[in-house]
């Protein structure tokens, strides 16, 4: 709180002169509110003006206030000694109230919070004003005034008058002085404010017409309608209307009693009743205003915290995007760049660094970025070791020099503290933003560019625009990721199947491999080549596997009559599922509710699939085989760990990769490879499956090379599983 505003002498004197004039005007107005009814004013605004002004301008207000009151009391016909005594006492009380408020309030403005408003009442209306009222009442009774009234009655009226003066006019006087000192704009004439002002003036006019017309009781009832209007404006964020309106109503309500005094039987009692009504309305309105301001302040704090990183206190990605929107609104038509700076080696080192050291390091990196771009107001921490900022201007050369400074100052810089040392290496990605571009999409693209720049050895900077093919591909992958998530939750995945038959001889029982497709929002079928790589890259392949396994068991429940015809149903398992310790237990619970025999499910392990936990994968496959499931090794012959898979995992089938099968009729090398695979499989008592068998001659050749089963277009094309089920049903009917 500003106890003594530092202002030029001329401005300070002008403000004191204005306060003196306002005090004289308010004192004269308060005398009119008691004319012909009692010798005591209903509201005494001068003391509130002194307190509000003192909170802004400091101690110099109170001598001026005392001199001004002395002059007014002399003008009103009081003796010199009484005028001086009362003026000094008033100034002392105003000073004490202001001093206590200065010491006790947490915020600089009155009525800014509920707790400070209660302190304002305690200091301004109770703690000081009650004993002051008792002292003054004793003094005036000793002088012979109000001797016909009870002491408590006189003290109550005096206390209400003085307290209302503080409550009504201290917030308004503080706001006026603050606005004059800091040159704050006055009332904003928004549509809401205009509606409120018109409504208040209409209510005042109706109130006056009723009272002037002799309908005092109706006018009195209409007085209670001020509170809803005052409460409405109190919850607004306008700093002017609420204190000004409360002060206006506080003067008008007793004023209406003065207007109607000739028609009232007990005007003194009516005036006291009006003062009590004003007191209650003022307290309720100011409490509403305080609660509303405190709520708005908390909302702003929550909003600010939601835009800040909890670790470093810097802005986060949301704060950065808000900064982009705000600055683009204020500086339209300029060149705009969204930049991401990444400590490219931070992830590896973070686990080895102390947490407090990491925080200081990231703050240091952010400060260095600010030094390279001093005109950028916000440098945000987007993730661990990753920062972003928005640049807007027309000097692209200045932007380029700033990027060069980041590379030269941070790349290779050593950050040293007693407990640790860290050498920074940075990568920079920037995206030029055009009018209408989505900032969130641009930020994602800038992150992508920073990740790409981190792989560059010569110059770790990558730039692009949002129509760059690299960005478009990434956006398509992100779109496919969201499509896949929705498909998993809404059952838009579709099961297809492709038959597997013996290479020679009768078909025997039916075998097939389950193939997955995704149905688009428009009903089109999306190839697994489009969404399965996205599932693997973003950790959804395990969810996809579980969906497929559950869907196959659901089909078994729907078509139980074809189970006797089924030899095996092959289902692919991803590397993520092989490393999932909970998959086996989940599958067991699923099988307990299903009639599909374990022997009918053959799980395929893709040899080209990266396995992160060999021991977990080995344990899972052994457990599945012990449960009765069969295991097949898919795409055999193409991976780096071909024989590691073959010798380590418990297998029943080996599926020969299709690239060796397509041209086996004319390619002697591939014939030798297939023969070698079948020989090894025979030695290990495994059966072989050749995929991508496209014609009759290929089928005959692989059969001659010792392959047991074949799969491909020459056998059957992939069809929806429901269609294959229908075919099973017809076969069952024939049998």
């Amino acid at each position: 709180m500003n106890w003594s505003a530092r202002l030029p002498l001329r401005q300070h004197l002008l403000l004191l002169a204005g306060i003196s004039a306002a005090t004289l005007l308010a004192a004269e107005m308060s005398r009119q509110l008691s004319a012909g009814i009692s010798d005591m004013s209903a509201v005494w605004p001068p003391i509130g003006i002194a307190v509000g002004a003192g909170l802004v301008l400091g101690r110099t207000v109170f001598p001026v206030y005392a001199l001004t009151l002395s002059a007014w009391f002399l003008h009103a016909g009081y003796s010199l000694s009484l005028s001086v005594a009362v003026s000094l006492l008033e100034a002392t009380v105003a000073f004490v109230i202001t001093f206590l408020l200065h010491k006790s309030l947490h915020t600089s403005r009155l009525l800014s919070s509920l707790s400070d408003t209660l302190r304002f009442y305690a200091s301004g209306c109770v703690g000081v004003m009650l004993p002051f009222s008792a002292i003054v009442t004793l003094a005036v009774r000793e002088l012979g005034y109000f001797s016909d009234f009870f002491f408590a009655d006189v003290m109550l009226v005096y206390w209400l008058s003085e307290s209302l003066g503080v409550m009504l006019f201290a917030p308004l006087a503080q706001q006026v002085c603050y606005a004059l000192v800091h040159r704050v704009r006055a009332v904003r004439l928004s549509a809401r404010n205009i509606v409120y002002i018109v409504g208040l003036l209409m209510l005042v006019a109706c109130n006056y017409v009723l009272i002037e017309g002799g309908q005092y009781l109706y006018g009195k009832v209409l007085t209670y309608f001020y509170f809803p209007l005052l409460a409405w404006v109190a919850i607004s964020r306008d700093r002017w209307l609420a204190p000004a309106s409360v002060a206006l109503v506080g003067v008008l309500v007793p004023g209406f009693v003065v207007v109607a005094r000739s028609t009232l039987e007990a005007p003194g009692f009516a005036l006291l009743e009006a003062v009590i009504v004003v007191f209650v309305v003022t307290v309720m309105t100011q409490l509403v205003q305080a609660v509303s301001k405190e709520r708005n302040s908390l909302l702003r704090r929550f909003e600010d915290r939601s835009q800040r990183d909890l670790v470093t206190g810097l802005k986060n990605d949301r704060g950065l995007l808000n900064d982009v929107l705000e600055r683009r609104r204020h500086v339209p038509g300029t060149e705009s760049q969204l930049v991401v700076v990444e400590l490219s080696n931070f992830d590896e080192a973070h686990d080895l660094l102390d947490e407090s050291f990491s925080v200081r390091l990231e703050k240091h990196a952010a400060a260095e970025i600010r030094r390279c771009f001093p005109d950028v107001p916000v440098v945000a921490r987007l993730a661990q070791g990753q920062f972003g900022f928005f640049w807007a201007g027309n000097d692209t050369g200045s932007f380029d020099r700033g990027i060069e400074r980041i590379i030269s100052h941070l790349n290779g810089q050593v950050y040293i503290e007693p407990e640790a040392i860290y050498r920074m290496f940075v990568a920079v990605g920037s995206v030029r933003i055009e009018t209408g571009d989505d900032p969130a999409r641009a930020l994602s693209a800038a992150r992508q560019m920073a990740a790409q720049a981190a792989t560059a050895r010569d110059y770790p900077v990558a730039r692009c625009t949002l129509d760059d093919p690299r960005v478009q591909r990434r956006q398509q992958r992100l779109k496919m990721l969201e499509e896949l998530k929705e498909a998993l939750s809404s059952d838009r995945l579709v099961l297809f199947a492709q038959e597997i038959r013996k290479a020679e001889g009768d078909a025997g029982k039916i075998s097939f491999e389950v193939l997955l497709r995704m149905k688009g929002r428009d009903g089109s079928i999306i190839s697994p080549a489009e969404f399965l790589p996205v599932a693997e890259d973003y950790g959804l392949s395990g969810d996809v596997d579980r969906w497929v396994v559950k869907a196959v068991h659901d089909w078994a429940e729907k078509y139980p009559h074809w189970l006797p015809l089924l030899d095996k149903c092959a289902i692919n398992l991803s590397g993520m599922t092989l490393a999932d310790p909970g998959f086996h237990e989940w599958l067991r619970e699923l099988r307990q509710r299903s009639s599909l025999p374990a022997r009918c499910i053959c799980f395929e392990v893709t040899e080209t699939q990266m396995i992160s936990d060999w021991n977990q994968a080995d344990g899972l496959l052994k457990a599945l085989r012990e449960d009765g499931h069969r295991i097949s090794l898919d795409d055999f012959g193409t991976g780096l760990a071909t024989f590691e898979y073959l010798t380590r995992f418990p297998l029943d089938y080996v599926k020969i990769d299709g690239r060796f099968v397509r041209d086996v009729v004319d390619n002697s090398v591939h014939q030798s490879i297939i023969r070698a695979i079948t020989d090894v499989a025979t030695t290990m008592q495994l059966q072989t499956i050749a995929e991508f068998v496209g014609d009759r001659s290929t089928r005959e050749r692989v059969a001659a090379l010792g392959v047991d089963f074949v799969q491909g277009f020459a056998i059957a094309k992939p069809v929806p599983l429901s269609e294959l089920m229908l075919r099973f049903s017809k076969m069952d009917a024939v049998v």
Side-chain angles (χ1 to χ4, degrees):
M1 184 179 298
N2 190 3
W3 177 246
S4 180
R6 296 180 180 179
L7 296 172
L9 180 60
R10 182 172 178 274
Q11 184 181 0
H12 203 105
L13 292 175
L14 286 175
L15 286 172
L16 291 176
I19 293 167
S20 180
T23 301
L24 290 172
L25 182 63
E28 190 62 30
M29 177 193 67
S30 69
R31 184 166 65 169
Q32 299 303 316
L33 292 180
S34 64
I37 297 178
S38 69
D39 293 328
M40 192 175 294
S41 174
V43 181
W44 180 245
I47 193 167
I49 295 173
V51 170
L55 288 171
V56 178
L57 300 177
R59 299 174 179 85
T60 54
V61 168
F62 304 106
V64 174
Y65 176 63
L67 290 173
T68 303
L69 278 187
S70 296
W72 181 80
F73 279 124
L74 289 172
H75 170 73
Y78 293 93
S79 65
L80 177 61
S81 58
L82 183 61
S83 299
V84 172
V86 173
S87 299
L88 289 176
L89 187 58
E90 282 271 339
T92 301
V93 171
F95 173 80
V96 172
I97 292 173
T98 308
F99 177 78
L100 292 176
L101 292 177
H102 170 68
K103 293 295 184 182
S104 62
L105 297 187
H106 294 155
T107 53
S108 60
R109 310 286 282 277
L110 295 175
L111 310 180
S112 292
S113 69
L114 180 59
S115 59
D116 275 359
T117 301
L118 295 177
R119 291 187 182 93
F120 168 55
Y121 293 156
S123 299
C125 304
V126 180
V128 177
M129 201 61 70
L130 269 179
F132 168 65
S133 301
I135 293 171
V136 172
T137 302
L138 285 173
V140 296
R141 286 173 68 86
E142 287 295 324
L143 294 174
Y145 296 98
F146 307 113
S147 57
D148 295 336
F149 296 91
F150 291 110
F151 175 86
D153 293 340
V154 177
M155 177 182 167
L156 174 63
V157 173
Y158 190 84
W159 175 73
L160 281 174
S161 173
E162 297 282 325
S163 297
L164 276 177
V166 175
M167 292 168 58
L168 292 172
F169 289 91
L172 180 60
Q174 185 194 33
Q175 178 62 30
V176 171
C177 292
Y178 184 89
L180 292 173
V181 169
H182 298 282
R183 298 181 181 180
V184 178
R185 188 176 63 175
V187 179
R188 294 170 295 177
L189 291 179
S190 62
R192 176 193 177 101
N193 290 347
I194 292 174
V195 169
Y196 168 74
I197 293 172
V198 171
L200 181 62
L201 293 178
M202 289 179 61
L203 184 58
V204 169
C206 292
N207 213 173
Y208 177 77
V209 169
L210 287 173
I211 291 175
E212 181 67 19
Q215 301 296 323
Y216 177 76
L217 290 178
Y218 289 103
K220 176 182 173 182
V221 171
L222 200 61
T223 299
Y224 294 98
F225 285 88
Y226 285 109
F227 176 69
L229 270 178
L230 293 174
W232 183 48
V233 77
I235 64 176
S236 73
R237 297 190 178 186
D238 194 286
R239 291 186 175 273
W240 284 97
L241 283 180
S245 301
V246 172
L248 177 65
V249 171
V251 172
L252 286 178
V253 172
F256 289 145
V257 178
V258 175
V259 170
R261 66 184 183 275
S262 60
T263 62
L264 299 177
E265 295 182 359
F269 178 80
L271 184 61
L272 179 60
E273 185 182 31
V275 170
I276 293 174
V277 169
V278 169
F279 184 85
V280 172
V281 169
T282 301
V283 170
M284 294 176 67
T285 302
Q286 290 182 343
L287 290 177
V288 169
Q289 181 181 357
V291 170
S292 176
K293 286 186 176 181
E294 189 166 10
R295 172 181 172 274
N296 293 335
S297 176
L298 287 173
L299 289 176
R300 287 192 295 270
R301 287 172 59 190
F302 288 145
E303 184 177 357
D304 180 70
R305 288 192 177 186
S306 70
Q307 297 181 29
R308 289 198 177 276
D309 171 62
L310 297 178
V311 176
T312 61
L314 299 170
K315 291 284 188 178
N316 57 19
D317 51 353
R318 181 178 176 182
L320 176 60
L321 293 176
N322 282 346
D323 177 64
V324 172
L325 296 174
E326 188 69 21
R327 296 189 67 201
R328 287 178 73 182
R329 188 161 49 244
H330 286 86
V331 285
T334 57
E335 178 81 13
S336 300
Q337 297 277 349
L338 198 54
V339 183
V340 171
V341 181
E342 185 176 285
L343 300 181
S344 53
N345 59 333
F346 192 74
D347 286 341
E348 293 81 1
H350 183 263
D351 292 338
L352 304 176
L353 298 174
D354 182 77
E355 184 67 27
S356 61
F357 178 86
S358 299
V359 172
R360 292 192 296 272
L361 170 63
E362 291 190 273
K363 288 183 177 180
H364 168 76
E368 289 294 306
I369 295 171
R370 284 290 304 273
R371 285 180 57 195
C372 296
F373 280 91
D375 56 337
V376 169
V378 174
V379 173
R381 181 185 187 259
L382 307 177
Q384 191 171 274
Q386 190 179 80
F387 309 91
F389 64 88
F390 177 69
W391 179 87
N394 293 315
D395 186 1
T396 55
S398 173
F399 174 76
D400 294 337
R401 289 189 294 273
I403 296 296
E404 293 294 336
R405 284 194 295 270
I406 289 177
I407 299 301
S408 61
H409 291 180
L410 272 72
N411 208 34
Q413 182 189 103
V414 178
Y415 181 73
I416 303 175
E417 287 194 0
E419 66 272 19
I421 182 171
Y422 178 81
R423 184 182 295 274
M424 290 185 287
F425 293 97
V426 298
V428 180
S430 69
V431 176
R432 188 175 73 246
I433 304 180
E434 306 290 346
T435 302
D437 286 343
D438 180 14
R441 185 165 169 250
L443 180 59
S444 176
R447 282 174 151 170
Q448 178 187 355
M449 290 297 100
Q452 179 176 320
T455 63
R457 296 183 178 180
D458 51 349
Y459 187 60
V461 177
R463 306 185 184 189
C464 72
T465 58
L466 284 180
D467 57 1
D468 189 290
R470 295 169 294 178
V471 177
Q472 296 294 331
R473 284 194 297 271
R474 177 176 173 81
Q475 295 300 323
Q476 289 171 0
R477 285 174 63 81
L478 291 175
K479 182 179 180 181
M480 183 56 68
L481 175 62
E482 296 306 315
E483 188 87 14
L484 177 57
K485 289 179 181 178
E486 184 180 339
L488 282 168
S489 62
S490 59
D491 283 340
R492 283 200 288 110
L493 296 177
V494 182
L495 293 183
F496 273 57
Q498 187 175 30
E499 285 189 62
I500 301 172
R501 297 180 184 174
K502 289 184 178 181
E504 293 181 315
D506 296 334
K509 288 188 175 184
I510 297 296
S511 297
F512 61 87
E513 178 183 1
V514 173
L515 305 173
L516 190 62
R517 304 289 187 268
M518 184 167 67
K519 187 180 292 185
R521 292 186 178 90
D522 58 354
S524 61
I525 298 298
I526 301 174
S527 167
E530 296 184 45
F531 64 86
L532 284 184
V534 174
E536 292 176 3
D537 291 345
Y538 293 95
L540 289 179
S541 54
D543 295 331
V544 172
D545 289 349
R546 291 196 180 203
W547 188 94
V548 172
V549 173
K550 184 178 183 303
V552 169
H553 283 78
D554 290 343
W555 274 111
E557 296 305 307
K558 188 174 182 179
Y559 296 95
H561 55 279
W562 56 257
L563 292 181
L565 300 173
L566 179 64
D567 177 36
K568 64 177 177 293
C569 166
I571 301 176
N572 285 280
L573 293 183
S574 65
M576 180 170 289
T577 297
L578 292 176
D580 181 4
F583 177 77
H584 184 226
E585 186 63 30
W586 173 84
L587 179 61
R588 278 188 169 179
E589 293 179 1
L590 179 64
R591 285 184 51 238
Q592 290 175 359
R593 304 189 302 269
S594 173
S595 59
L596 180 62
R599 62 172 178 79
C600 293
I601 298 293
C602 176
F603 288 110
E604 290 193 356
V605 181
T606 304
E607 189 206 346
T608 54
Q609 177 71 56
M610 183 68 68
I611 294 179
S612 59
D613 189 337
W614 282 84
N615 292 330
Q616 171 63 33
D618 187 27
L620 174 62
L621 294 178
K622 287 179 180 178
L624 293 176
R625 204 156 185 265
E626 289 173 0
D627 289 344
H629 298 291
R630 285 177 276 185
I631 309 297
S632 174
L633 180 60
D634 197 7
D635 296 333
F636 183 78
T638 58
L640 297 176
T642 294
F643 290 100
E644 176 74 16
Y645 279 68
L646 194 62
T647 57
R648 182 163 190 167
F649 292 148
L651 300 173
D652 297 284
Y653 300 96
V654 173
K655 183 176 284 189
I656 303 170
D657 189 83
R659 71 187 69 185
F660 303 128
V661 177
R662 287 192 187 97
D663 59 351
V664 67
V665 174
D666 303 316
N667 192 318
S668 58
V669 174
H670 287 177
Q671 292 174 17
S672 300
I673 291 174
I674 292 176
R675 185 179 297 279
I677 293 173
T678 58
D679 288 344
V680 171
T682 301
T683 302
M684 299 182 68
Q685 298 182 348
L686 305 177
Q687 292 184 301
T688 53
I689 304 171
E691 58 182 355
F692 288 91
V693 176
D695 52 44
R696 183 184 181 88
S697 59
T698 301
R699 178 178 182 177
E700 292 174 351
R701 179 56 57 92
V702 297
L705 294 173
V707 173
D708 300 302
F709 296 93
V710 289
Q711 179 182 357
F713 281 10
I715 311 305
K717 293 183 178 181
V719 295
L721 184 57
S722 57
E723 184 177 324
L724 192 60
M725 298 304 103
L726 182 61
R727 190 182 305 170
F728 283 178
S729 299
K730 291 180 179 179
M731 289 179 60
D732 187 36
V734 172
V735 173

